[in-house]
Amino acid sequence: MLGKKLVTAQKRGETRALCLGLGMVTCSMMMYFFIGITIVPFYTKSVWTTETMCKVLKANIKDKVLCPNSEGSEEEEIFPYPCLQVWVNLTASGQEVMLYQTEDTLETNPKCSYVPGKSENSKEVKARIETIASNFKKYQTFPCYYDPGGTQTNVILSRLYPPKGLLFAFLWPTLMFTGGCLIIVLVKISQYVSVLSAWQ
């Protein structure tokens, strides 16, 4: 009687462990799919792939401009902010080009190097942009990214999804997938050993 209870408890434990392993594998596949349709297209679409050094030529704050209204957004999302324009000398080619913060900055407003997030306090936005401009004037040389193919003549300060960020995004689902497969393999080995010992 005790032996049957032990066998039943063992089978229940194996079933739960097997379900856990299959659940981890399923969740990891869903994460792979989510990353594949969200982050990977942005990474592959970016043409600013080569890092070089940029030297600031001028950083000016123009008059206030309106944040362009993106498709599907509401009218109240349009707000005025000072337009910071940063021009740099590209070390790789020696050209004078305009610097943008990220790829999204160019798409949001190609006239400005920095586009602030939506904020109701215009004083904070103005102070932030003035601080960014002073930092550019203080640190004249810094790494930036340009398009080696020449499709885009401008440069960006940082990529939204660099290679390290993409690898980090795939790290957690990979660990979960590996852990799930390991649990399944261990359960199968345990079942095989149990059957082998019972047969002997």
Side-chain angles (χ1 to χ4, degrees), residues 178-195:
T178 304
C181 291
L182 185 61
I183 291 174
I184 294 173
V185 170
L186 290 176
V187 170
K188 292 300 182 181
I189 291 175
S190 176
Q191 290 177 346
Y192 174 75
V193 171
S194 299
V195 172

Side-chain angles (χ1 to χ4, degrees), residues 81-93:
Y81 61 90
C83 182
L84 173 64
Q85 292 183 345
V86 181
W87 292 87
V88 297
N89 183 16
L90 187 61
T91 306
S93 61

Side-chain angles (χ1 to χ4, degrees), residues 20-94:
L20 175 62
L22 291 174
M24 292 175 65
V25 171
T26 303
C27 289
S28 64
M29 297 304 293
M30 293 175 63
M31 292 174 67
Y32 278 129
F33 177 75
F34 179 77
I35 294 172
I37 63 174
T38 55
I39 299 179
V40 173
F42 287 105
Y43 174 79
T44 55
K45 188 176 68 172
S46 178
V47 295
W48 296 271
T49 56
T50 306
E51 184 177 354
T52 186
M53 297 301 294
C54 287
K55 184 177 181 181
V56 176
L57 298 176
K58 53 185 175 181
N60 302 324
I61 298 178
K62 302 294 183 179
D63 295 334
K64 288 187 176 182
V65 296
L66 291 178
C67 179
N69 192 11
S70 58
E71 294 183 4
S73 61
E74 300 295 334
E75 290 292 332
E76 62 265 16
E77 291 189 4
I78 302 179
F79 63 97
Y81 61 90
C83 182
L84 173 64
Q85 292 183 345
V86 181
W87 292 87
V88 297
N89 183 16
L90 187 61
T91 306
S93 61

Side-chain angles (χ1 to χ4, degrees), residues 11 23 28 36 63 109 172 175-176:
K11 288 183 177 180
S28 64
D63 295 334
N109 190 353
W172 295 111
L175 291 176
M176 184 179 292

Side-chain angles (χ1 to χ4, degrees), residues 6 18 24 48 108 126 130 146 178 186 197 200:
L6 290 174
L18 192 61
M24 292 175 65
W48 296 271
T108 304
K126 182 179 179 182
E130 289 177 351
Y146 75 101
T178 304
L186 290 176
S197 61
Q200 289 179 349

